[in-house]
C-alpha cells in the first residue's frame, strides 16, 4: 500500500522547531484519528502503523464481510461482492483490511489535517519552551537583541526563542541596539495568552551572583560562598562572601590580582561600584565592614526595634552615608537592620544637636534629616541645599528654611 507521508512536507518545520521525529509522528497519528472520527464517526476499527525511521504512517480500515444487501454499517461492514474484488478467496464472516489513501480524505480534509498538525506542533513547542525555561529560572542567559521597544527589549537565544528584558529590569545606563549581545538572568517564566513569556533581568541580585560565579572559580567550585547581595543597580552593590578554607582570602579572590576579576563585572554592570565584604557572625563587626570606608567609633544595636545607632567622627559621616545615601541604605539591607548614623559630639563642643531646634523646626523634618545622618546643626550646614534635597524627601523651600535657622544659631 501507499503510506501516508504527509510528515515529509513538514520536515523543514520540524527541524526549525527541533521536535523529535517520534513525537511528531505521534502528533500526526492523533491528528489523523481525529479526522477519521469526523469522517466515519468512529476510529476503533482502524489500525495505525507508524514507521518512525522512515517518517511514514499507514492507516488500515478493518471491515467484516457480509452477504450482499445486508450491509447496515458501511464503516464496519463490506458487501461480499465488493470484498472479492479486493481478494477473490474472501468468504462471508471474514475480515477485510484496506489501506486508507490520502485521496480518500479529500482536498479540504487534507488542508485541515495540515493546519491541525501545525497547530499541535506549535502548541507542543510552546509547552517545551515553557518547561525548558521554567527549570532555568536564576540561570545566566546570553542572547542577541532582535528588537528594541520603549518599554522592553526582545532578545533571541541561540535557539531563536523569544526572551523579554523589560525596561524596569534594565540598568539605567543600559543602551542596546539590534544585534548587540546581552547577558541577563532568567527571573520569571509564565504562560500568557497560551504563549511562554520569559522575563530576564539585569537589575536582580541574582544577575550579580551569576557574574561572580562566572569570574571567580572559587565561588563556582563552592570554596567561597556568597552570603548576601544587595544592589542599587548601576550605582552601588555590596556583596558579603565567606570562605570555609582558612587558606583562601574570600575578598581577595573575588577582587583578583589588581582587580582583574571584579573589573569585568563592573564593566558589565555599567560601572556599578561593588563593595566585597568578608562576612562574619559578629554583628558589630559586620556593620563596620558594611559601612566601609567609614571608620566607626561605636555601635548601639536595638534588636527589639531592629535598629543600629552608629557613632562616627564628623569627617566620617559623609563616607558612611555615601553618594546619594546609597552606602548607608545598602549597608542596612545587607545586615538586616535600620542604621542611623550620629556624629560623636565630644569632638565638636561648638556643634548643636538638631533636637535643640524642636521649637523652630518641625519634628518630622528633624527626623528626616537624622535619617540621613544629619543629627547636628553643622552636619546639615556642611551639605549644600541640592545635596540635602537629593538625600531626603524634603522640599527645597523646607531645606532652605532649616539652613537659615541653623546659620542664625552660629551667627548670633
Amino acid at each position: 500500500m501507499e503510506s501516508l507521508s504527509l510528515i515529509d512536507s513538514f520536515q523543514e518545520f520540524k527541524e526549525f522547531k527541533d521536535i523529535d521525529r517520534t513525537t511528531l509522528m505521534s502528533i500526526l497519528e492523533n491528528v489523523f484519528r481525529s479526522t477519521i472520527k469526523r469522517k466515519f464517526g468512529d476510529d476503533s476499527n482502524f489500525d495505525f502503523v507508524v514507521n518512525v525511521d522512515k517518517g511514514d504512517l499507514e492507516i488500515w480500515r478493518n471491515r467484516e464481510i457480509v452477504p450482499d444487501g445486508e450491509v447496515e454499517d458501511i464503516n464496519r461492514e463490506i458487501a461480499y461482492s465488493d470484498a472479492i474484488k479486493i481478494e477473490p478467496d474472501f468468504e462471508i464472516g471474514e475480515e477485510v483490511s484496506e489501506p486508507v489513501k490520502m485521496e480518500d480524505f479529500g482536498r479540504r480534509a487534507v488542508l485541515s489535517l495540515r493546519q491541525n498538525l501545525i497547530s499541535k506542533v506549535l502548541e507542543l513547542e510552546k509547552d517545551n519552551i515553557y518547561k525548558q525555561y521554567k527549570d532555568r529560572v536564576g540561570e545566566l542567559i546570553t542572547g542577541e537583541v532582535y528588537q528594541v521597544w520603549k518599554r522592553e527589549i526582545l532578545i533571541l537565544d541561540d535557539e531563536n526563542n523569544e526572551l523579554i528584558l523589560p525596561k524596569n529590569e534594565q540598568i539605567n545606563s543600559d543602551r542596546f541596539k539590534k544585534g548587540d549581545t546581552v547577558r541577563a538572568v532568567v527571573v520569571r517564566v509564565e504562560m500568557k495568552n497560551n504563549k511562554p513569556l520569559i522575563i530576564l533581568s539585569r537589575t536582580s541580585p541574582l544577575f550579580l551572583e551569576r557574574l561572580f560565579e562566572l569570574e571567580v572559580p572559587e565561588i563556582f567550585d563552592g570554596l567561597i560562598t556568597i552570603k548576601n547581595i544587595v544592589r542599587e543597580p548601576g550605582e552601588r552593590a555590596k556583596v558579603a562572601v565567606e570562605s570555609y578554607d582558612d587558606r583562601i582570602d574570600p575578598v581577595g579572590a573575588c577582587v583578583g590580582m589588581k582587580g582583574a576579576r571584579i573589573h569585568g563585572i563592573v564593566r558589565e554592570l555599567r560601572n556599578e561600584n561593588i563593595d566585597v565584604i568578608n562576612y562574619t557572625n559578629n554583628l558589630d563587626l559586620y556593620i563596620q565592614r558594611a559601612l566601609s570606608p567609614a571608620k566607626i567609633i561605636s555601635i548601639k544595636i536595638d534588636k527589639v526595634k531592629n535598629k543600629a545607632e552608629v557613632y562616627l567622627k564628623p569627617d566620617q559621616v559623609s563616607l558612611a552615608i555615601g553618594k546619594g545615601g546609597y552606602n548607608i541604605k545598602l549597608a542596612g539591607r545587607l545586615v538586616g537592620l535600620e542604621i542611623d548614623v550620629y556624629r560623636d559630639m565630644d569632638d565638636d563642643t561648638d556643634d548643636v544637636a538638631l533636637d535643640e531646634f524642636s521649637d523652630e523646626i518641625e519634628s518630622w523634618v528633624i527626623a528626616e534629616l537624622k535619617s540621613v545622618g544629619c543629627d547636628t546643626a553643622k552636619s546639615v550646614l556642611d551639605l549644600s541645599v541640592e545635596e540635602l534635597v537629593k538625600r531626603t524627601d524634603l522640599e527645597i523651600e523646607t531645606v532652605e528654611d532649616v539652613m537659615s535657622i541653623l546659620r542664625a544659631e552660629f551667627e548670633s
Side-chain angles (χ1 to χ4, degrees):
M1 89 161 256
E2 178 186 346
S3 61
L4 292 169
S5 298
L6 183 64
I7 192 172
D8 291 339
S9 62
F10 304 116
Q11 186 67 22
E12 181 180 350
F13 179 81
K14 173 244 165 196
E15 288 177 353
F16 178 75
K17 289 298 178 183
D18 196 27
I19 295 176
D20 64 272
R21 180 176 285 269
T22 303
T23 303
L24 197 55
M25 291 302 298
S26 176
I27 294 173
L28 186 61
E29 178 183 339
N30 291 335
V31 168
F32 268 100
R33 279 193 180 278
S34 298
T35 303
I36 284 172
K37 281 182 180 180
R38 288 196 298 270
K39 184 176 179 64
F40 298 104
D42 184 20
D43 69 337
S44 60
N45 61 314
F46 287 80
D47 291 331
F48 292 78
V49 182
V50 179
N51 187 326
V52 176
D53 294 330
K54 291 183 178 181
D56 290 338
L57 173 67
E58 296 179 359
I59 304 176
W60 295 83
R61 180 164 67 162
N62 305 308
R63 290 191 288 178
E64 183 184 350
I65 301 172
V66 297
D68 291 347
E70 296 185 16
V71 175
E72 296 180 357
D73 184 350
I74 59 172
N75 181 40
R76 293 181 170 275
E77 298 171 339
I78 184 173
Y80 173 74
S81 58
D82 291 329
I84 58 175
K85 292 178 184 177
I86 300 172
E87 178 62 55
D89 296 335
F90 275 139
E91 295 182 4
I92 293 173
E94 292 185 332
E95 190 174 74
V96 176
S97 294
E98 302 171 272
V100 178
K101 298 182 180 180
M102 185 70 73
E103 53 264 30
D104 294 340
F105 289 94
R107 183 174 178 276
R108 183 174 295 179
V110 170
L111 290 175
S112 177
L113 277 168
R114 184 180 187 280
Q115 192 61 42
N116 287 340
L117 176 61
I118 292 174
S119 175
K120 293 286 185 183
V121 171
L122 282 173
E123 186 178 321
L124 179 65
E125 177 63 20
K126 290 173 184 177
D127 190 51
N128 285 346
I129 294 171
Y130 175 80
K131 289 178 180 177
Q132 173 192 343
Y133 271 94
K134 194 71 176 175
D135 294 334
R136 297 180 72 180
V137 171
E139 193 174 309
L140 189 67
I141 299 291
T142 301
E144 182 178 309
V145 174
Y146 183 74
Q147 197 160 359
V148 179
W149 296 302
K150 187 175 181 180
R151 295 184 179 180
E152 59 192 23
I153 293 175
L154 177 62
I155 295 171
L156 301 181
D157 67 6
D158 52 5
E159 294 179 355
N160 282 327
N161 294 318
E162 296 183 355
L163 320 173
I164 297 296
L165 180 62
K167 187 69 176 176
N168 64 346
E169 297 291 352
Q170 299 172 36
I171 298 169
N172 286 336
S173 52
D174 276 343
R175 298 292 183 272
F176 297 112
K177 62 182 184 299
K178 185 174 182 178
D180 285 351
T181 299
V182 179
R183 286 198 291 186
V185 70
V186 180
V187 289
R188 195 168 71 255
V189 180
E190 57 191 46
M191 291 296 285
K192 188 175 182 180
N193 298 327
N194 201 33
K195 182 179 179 182
L197 183 64
I198 303 153
I199 305 297
L200 305 181
S201 174
R202 286 171 53 82
T203 62
S204 168
L206 272 174
F207 180 50
L208 180 50
E209 184 174 344
R210 296 295 171 262
L211 291 176
F212 266 100
E213 290 174 353
L214 201 64
E215 296 289 340
V216 185
E218 292 87 348
I219 292 178
F220 183 80
D221 294 337
L223 299 174
I224 295 174
T225 302
I226 295 177
K227 301 295 289 186
N228 195 11
I229 294 179
V230 290
R231 292 180 67 192
E232 285 291 339
E235 297 291 343
R236 195 162 190 165
K238 289 185 182 289
V239 183
V241 294
E242 183 179 34
S243 172
Y244 298 110
D245 189 336
D246 294 336
R247 296 170 297 177
I248 297 175
D249 170 19
V251 175
C254 291
V255 173
M257 188 73 70
K258 295 182 180 179
R261 289 177 172 177
I262 206 165
H263 282 166
I265 300 174
V266 170
R267 283 194 298 271
E268 179 68 43
L269 300 182
R270 311 301 186 195
N271 294 320
E272 185 173 312
N273 291 319
I274 303 174
D275 300 330
V276 183
I277 297 157
N278 203 342
Y279 177 80
T280 175
N281 289 318
N282 184 326
L283 191 53
D284 283 43
L285 182 56
Y286 195 25
I287 293 172
Q288 287 185 43
R289 291 173 177 174
L291 285 172
S292 178
K295 293 180 173 59
I296 296 169
I297 296 174
S298 63
I299 301 172
K300 292 180 182 178
I301 298 174
D302 187 337
K303 292 186 177 180
V304 176
K305 294 182 179 179
N306 207 38
K307 294 180 70 173
E309 295 180 355
V310 177
Y311 294 87
L312 314 95
K313 291 183 178 181
D315 62 344
Q316 296 295 304
V317 172
S318 60
L319 288 175
I321 294 171
K323 183 182 177 182
Y326 292 128
N327 197 49
I328 191 170
K329 288 177 186 176
L330 291 174
R333 285 160 52 189
L334 188 72
V335 302
L337 295 172
E338 182 183 338
I339 299 176
D340 292 328
V341 296
Y342 297 93
R343 290 175 177 237
D344 185 7
M345 296 296 289
D346 293 340
D347 282 4
D348 194 347
T349 55
D350 293 334
D351 207 349
V352 182
L354 271 189
D355 290 329
E356 297 294 323
F357 297 89
S358 58
D359 57 335
E360 297 178 83
I361 303 173
E362 293 185 60
S363 59
W364 69 271
V365 176
I366 293 175
E368 183 67 26
L369 290 168
K370 288 169 73 174
S371 71
V372 295
C374 296
D375 58 321
T376 69
K378 286 188 176 180
S379 64
V380 176
L381 294 173
D382 283 345
L383 300 173
S384 66
V385 173
E386 291 76 16
E387 185 66 22
L388 281 169
V389 170
K390 185 178 179 181
R391 291 188 184 184
T392 67
D393 290 329
L394 300 175
E395 298 288 339
I396 187 169
E397 294 83 1
T398 304
V399 173
E400 288 174 344
D401 289 343
V402 168
M403 298 190 85
S404 177
I405 293 168
L406 299 180
R407 286 196 195 97
E409 174 67 24
F410 294 100
E411 291 171 357
S412 58

PDB file of all heavy atoms in Angstrom, residues 39-50:
ATOM      1  N   LYS A  39     -14.958  11.887   9.944  1.00  0.00           N
ATOM      2  CA  LYS A  39     -15.420  11.387   8.646  1.00  0.00           C
ATOM      3  C   LYS A  39     -16.279  10.136   8.757  1.00  0.00           C
ATOM      4  O   LYS A  39     -17.298  10.006   8.080  1.00  0.00           O
ATOM      5  CB  LYS A  39     -14.197  11.103   7.758  1.00  0.00           C
ATOM      6  CG  LYS A  39     -14.546  10.660   6.344  1.00  0.00           C
ATOM      7  CD  LYS A  39     -13.300  10.502   5.505  1.00  0.00           C
ATOM      8  CE  LYS A  39     -13.601  10.031   4.101  1.00  0.00           C
ATOM      9  NZ  LYS A  39     -14.409  11.005   3.334  1.00  0.00           N
ATOM     10  N   PHE A  40     -15.864   9.202   9.650  1.00  0.00           N
ATOM     11  CA  PHE A  40     -16.547   7.918   9.736  1.00  0.00           C
ATOM     12  C   PHE A  40     -17.345   7.733  11.022  1.00  0.00           C
ATOM     13  O   PHE A  40     -18.067   6.746  11.168  1.00  0.00           O
ATOM     14  CB  PHE A  40     -15.536   6.772   9.604  1.00  0.00           C
ATOM     15  CG  PHE A  40     -14.809   6.758   8.290  1.00  0.00           C
ATOM     16  CD1 PHE A  40     -13.492   7.200   8.201  1.00  0.00           C
ATOM     17  CD2 PHE A  40     -15.437   6.317   7.139  1.00  0.00           C
ATOM     18  CE1 PHE A  40     -12.813   7.185   6.997  1.00  0.00           C
ATOM     19  CE2 PHE A  40     -14.762   6.297   5.919  1.00  0.00           C
ATOM     20  CZ  PHE A  40     -13.448   6.745   5.846  1.00  0.00           C
ATOM     21  N   GLY A  41     -17.192   8.656  11.977  1.00  0.00           N
ATOM     22  CA  GLY A  41     -17.938   8.570  13.226  1.00  0.00           C
ATOM     23  C   GLY A  41     -17.260   7.729  14.300  1.00  0.00           C
ATOM     24  O   GLY A  41     -17.605   7.806  15.484  1.00  0.00           O
ATOM     25  N   ASP A  42     -16.272   6.878  13.897  1.00  0.00           N
ATOM     26  CA  ASP A  42     -15.592   6.011  14.857  1.00  0.00           C
ATOM     27  C   ASP A  42     -14.243   5.607  14.257  1.00  0.00           C
ATOM     28  O   ASP A  42     -14.114   5.438  13.046  1.00  0.00           O
ATOM     29  CB  ASP A  42     -16.455   4.763  15.125  1.00  0.00           C
ATOM     30  CG  ASP A  42     -15.856   3.870  16.196  1.00  0.00           C
ATOM     31  OD1 ASP A  42     -15.021   4.369  16.978  1.00  0.00           O
ATOM     32  OD2 ASP A  42     -16.216   2.686  16.245  1.00  0.00           O
ATOM     33  N   ASP A  43     -13.222   5.436  15.130  1.00  0.00           N
ATOM     34  CA  ASP A  43     -11.910   5.030  14.629  1.00  0.00           C
ATOM     35  C   ASP A  43     -11.443   3.712  15.248  1.00  0.00           C
ATOM     36  O   ASP A  43     -10.300   3.303  15.064  1.00  0.00           O
ATOM     37  CB  ASP A  43     -10.871   6.123  14.924  1.00  0.00           C
ATOM     38  CG  ASP A  43     -10.565   6.244  16.413  1.00  0.00           C
ATOM     39  OD1 ASP A  43     -11.414   5.834  17.232  1.00  0.00           O
ATOM     40  OD2 ASP A  43      -9.476   6.744  16.753  1.00  0.00           O
ATOM     41  N   SER A  44     -12.357   3.027  15.973  1.00  0.00           N
ATOM     42  CA  SER A  44     -11.968   1.805  16.690  1.00  0.00           C
ATOM     43  C   SER A  44     -11.633   0.643  15.761  1.00  0.00           C
ATOM     44  O   SER A  44     -10.931  -0.291  16.149  1.00  0.00           O
ATOM     45  CB  SER A  44     -13.064   1.388  17.672  1.00  0.00           C
ATOM     46  OG  SER A  44     -14.280   1.143  16.987  1.00  0.00           O
ATOM     47  N   ASN A  45     -12.132   0.675  14.515  1.00  0.00           N
ATOM     48  CA  ASN A  45     -11.835  -0.400  13.567  1.00  0.00           C
ATOM     49  C   ASN A  45     -10.713  -0.026  12.596  1.00  0.00           C
ATOM     50  O   ASN A  45     -10.537  -0.647  11.542  1.00  0.00           O
ATOM     51  CB  ASN A  45     -13.091  -0.795  12.791  1.00  0.00           C
ATOM     52  CG  ASN A  45     -13.661   0.351  11.990  1.00  0.00           C
ATOM     53  OD1 ASN A  45     -13.779   1.463  12.490  1.00  0.00           O
ATOM     54  ND2 ASN A  45     -14.020   0.093  10.737  1.00  0.00           N
ATOM     55  N   PHE A  46      -9.945   0.996  12.950  1.00  0.00           N
ATOM     56  CA  PHE A  46      -8.812   1.432  12.123  1.00  0.00           C
ATOM     57  C   PHE A  46      -7.505   1.107  12.845  1.00  0.00           C
ATOM     58  O   PHE A  46      -7.378   1.308  14.059  1.00  0.00           O
ATOM     59  CB  PHE A  46      -8.869   2.933  11.859  1.00  0.00           C
ATOM     60  CG  PHE A  46      -9.943   3.340  10.884  1.00  0.00           C
ATOM     61  CD1 PHE A  46     -11.273   3.472  11.295  1.00  0.00           C
ATOM     62  CD2 PHE A  46      -9.645   3.588   9.550  1.00  0.00           C
ATOM     63  CE1 PHE A  46     -12.257   3.839  10.408  1.00  0.00           C
ATOM     64  CE2 PHE A  46     -10.638   3.966   8.653  1.00  0.00           C
ATOM     65  CZ  PHE A  46     -11.953   4.089   9.087  1.00  0.00           C
ATOM     66  N   ASP A  47      -6.531   0.600  12.097  1.00  0.00           N
ATOM     67  CA  ASP A  47      -5.191   0.332  12.628  1.00  0.00           C
ATOM     68  C   ASP A  47      -4.213   1.378  12.077  1.00  0.00           C
ATOM     69  O   ASP A  47      -4.219   1.668  10.861  1.00  0.00           O
ATOM     70  CB  ASP A  47      -4.706  -1.075  12.241  1.00  0.00           C
ATOM     71  CG  ASP A  47      -5.495  -2.165  12.951  1.00  0.00           C
ATOM     72  OD1 ASP A  47      -5.970  -1.891  14.077  1.00  0.00           O
ATOM     73  OD2 ASP A  47      -5.631  -3.261  12.384  1.00  0.00           O
ATOM     74  N   PHE A  48      -3.369   1.895  12.949  1.00  0.00           N
ATOM     75  CA  PHE A  48      -2.360   2.879  12.551  1.00  0.00           C
ATOM     76  C   PHE A  48      -0.980   2.249  12.710  1.00  0.00           C
ATOM     77  O   PHE A  48      -0.605   1.807  13.806  1.00  0.00           O
ATOM     78  CB  PHE A  48      -2.465   4.137  13.416  1.00  0.00           C
ATOM     79  CG  PHE A  48      -3.710   4.933  13.186  1.00  0.00           C
ATOM     80  CD1 PHE A  48      -4.924   4.536  13.738  1.00  0.00           C
ATOM     81  CD2 PHE A  48      -3.697   6.090  12.407  1.00  0.00           C
ATOM     82  CE1 PHE A  48      -6.080   5.256  13.520  1.00  0.00           C
ATOM     83  CE2 PHE A  48      -4.847   6.812  12.190  1.00  0.00           C
ATOM     84  CZ  PHE A  48      -6.045   6.392  12.743  1.00  0.00           C
ATOM     85  N   VAL A  49      -0.226   2.212  11.631  1.00  0.00           N
ATOM     86  CA  VAL A  49       1.124   1.644  11.643  1.00  0.00           C
ATOM     87  C   VAL A  49       2.121   2.769  11.412  1.00  0.00           C
ATOM     88  O   VAL A  49       2.165   3.363  10.324  1.00  0.00           O
ATOM     89  CB  VAL A  49       1.290   0.555  10.556  1.00  0.00           C
ATOM     90  CG1 VAL A  49       2.684  -0.052  10.632  1.00  0.00           C
ATOM     91  CG2 VAL A  49       0.216  -0.520  10.712  1.00  0.00           C
ATOM     92  N   VAL A  50       2.890   3.058  12.464  1.00  0.00           N
ATOM     93  CA  VAL A  50       3.828   4.177  12.402  1.00  0.00           C
ATOM     94  C   VAL A  50       5.244   3.658  12.174  1.00  0.00           C
ATOM     95  O   VAL A  50       5.734   2.802  12.913  1.00  0.00           O
ATOM     96  CB  VAL A  50       3.793   4.998  13.710  1.00  0.00           C
ATOM     97  CG1 VAL A  50       4.790   6.143  13.653  1.00  0.00           C
ATOM     98  CG2 VAL A  50       2.386   5.528  13.966  1.00  0.00           C
TER      99      VAL A  50
END
